[in-house]
């Protein structure tokens, strides 16, 4: 669902003329499909060719295990101390290794994963925003709306409305070529 959300977001950015934003979302979708878990995963190609693990970060299997654990528990409380304990690390060492591997703090990364999951749910289900908020581990809809707006820059209802309108327009265009007109949705 997260990959779908990234691709739809890329299409919306392309429609709005934001080619850089579109490329970024496509790159994120491809990275997710390739198994990369964050915006800056520690694997880098050196001039000599082989992959090198960034010093002080997690190795690939630890990153995958961490992401799988977080994704499986997005609906509940995820404590940093529990994540650190699962790797038998102190909280401080875990946080340093996490930031070196993913390029951001664990709390921010988890919040972004929750928002990406919510975007997938908003595009693929008819669930209310309050239901989606609870399924994503947010305490209530207002908490979800505040977090979503900070990460995405729009409210969840506006984001969902725009994407659904764009998908409906595309489906209509595919079914009946040349019959659709540009959609103008005003922000409230």
């Amino acid at each position: 669902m997260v990959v779908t959300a990234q691709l739809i977001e890329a299409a919306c950015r392309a429609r709005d003329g934001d080619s850089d934003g579109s490329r970024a979302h496509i790159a994120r979708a491809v990275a997710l499909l390739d198994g990369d878990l964050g915006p800056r995963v520690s694997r880098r190609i050196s001039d000599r060719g082989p992959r090198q693990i960034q010093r002080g970060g997690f190795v690939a299997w630890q990153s995958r295990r961490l992401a799988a654990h977080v994704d499986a528990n997005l609906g509940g409380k995820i404590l940093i101390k529990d994540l650190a304990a699962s790797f038998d690390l102190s909280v401080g060492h875990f946080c340093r290794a996490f930031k070196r591997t993913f390029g951001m703090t664990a709390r921010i990364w988890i919040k972004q994963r929750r928002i990406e999951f919510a975007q997938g749910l908003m595009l693929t289900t008819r669930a209310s925003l309050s239901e989606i908020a609870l399924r994503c581990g947010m305490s209530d809809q207002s908490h979800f709306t505040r977090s979503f707006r900070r990460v995405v820059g729009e409210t969840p209802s506006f984001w969902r409305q725009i994407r659904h309108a764009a998908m409906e327009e595309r489906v209509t265009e595919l079914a009946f070529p040349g019959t659709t007109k540009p959609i103008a949705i005003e922000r409230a």
Side-chain angles (χ1 to χ4, degrees), residues 20 30 69 87 94 112 114 118 135-136 143 159 167 172:
D20 291 336
V30 169
H69 176 76
F87 286 103
F94 174 84
Q112 287 183 347
R114 290 182 196 272
R135 288 180 65 182
C136 294
H143 176 220
W159 187 91
M167 287 189 309
T172 304

Side-chain angles (χ1 to χ4, degrees), residues 1-11 13 19-43 63 67 70-71 74 98 101-104 108-119 151:
M1 284 191 281
V2 174
V3 173
T4 303
Q6 291 295 324
L7 291 174
I8 290 173
E9 186 66 22
R13 295 285 173 103
S19 61
D20 291 336
S22 179
R23 281 190 197 102
H25 284 285
I26 290 171
R28 175 74 173 134
V30 169
L32 288 168
L33 290 172
D34 287 342
D36 287 344
L37 307 169
R40 282 193 276 157
V41 177
S42 62
R43 294 179 297 168
S63 299
V70 168
D71 288 346
L74 282 176
F98 191 96
T101 302
F102 293 98
M104 63 184 72
I108 292 171
W109 186 78
I110 291 168
K111 184 184 287 186
Q112 287 183 347
R113 295 295 274 205
R114 290 182 196 272
I115 298 301
E116 288 174 351
F117 181 62
Q119 287 174 323
V151 172

Side-chain angles (χ1 to χ4, degrees), residues 47-177:
D47 294 338
R48 290 176 259 153
R51 290 182 179 170
Q52 293 180 338
I53 304 299
Q54 187 174 355
R55 188 177 180 104
F58 295 126
V59 292
W61 71 267
Q62 289 174 317
S63 299
R64 284 192 301 272
R65 185 172 129 197
L66 179 65
H69 176 76
V70 168
D71 288 346
N73 295 296
L74 282 176
K77 193 175 242 185
I78 300 173
L79 300 175
I80 303 300
K81 69 178 184 174
D82 293 341
L83 294 175
S86 71
F87 286 103
D88 200 26
L89 298 172
S90 70
V91 173
H93 185 73
F94 174 84
C95 289
R96 281 188 298 277
F98 191 96
K99 188 163 187 175
R100 187 164 288 258
T101 302
F102 293 98
M104 63 184 72
T105 67
R107 292 185 201 290
I108 292 171
W109 186 78
I110 291 168
K111 184 184 287 186
Q112 287 183 347
R113 295 295 274 205
R114 290 182 196 272
I115 298 301
E116 288 174 351
F117 181 62
Q119 287 174 323
L121 290 174
M122 286 191 291
L123 293 174
T124 58
T125 68
R126 292 185 179 266
S128 69
L129 292 178
S130 58
E131 290 174 48
I132 291 172
L134 295 176
R135 288 180 65 182
C136 294
M138 303 288 178
S139 58
D140 56 21
Q141 185 176 343
S142 65
H143 176 220
F144 173 59
T145 300
R146 282 191 314 274
S147 297
F148 193 93
R149 177 176 263 167
R150 282 186 194 126
V151 172
V152 178
E154 299 173 341
T155 64
S157 61
F158 183 75
W159 187 91
R160 187 183 220 181
Q161 178 185 5
I162 293 291
R163 274 55 186 187
H164 277 287
M167 287 189 309
E168 289 174 11
E169 176 185 341
R170 184 69 183 138
V171 168
T172 304
E173 180 64 30
L174 289 173
F176 307 102

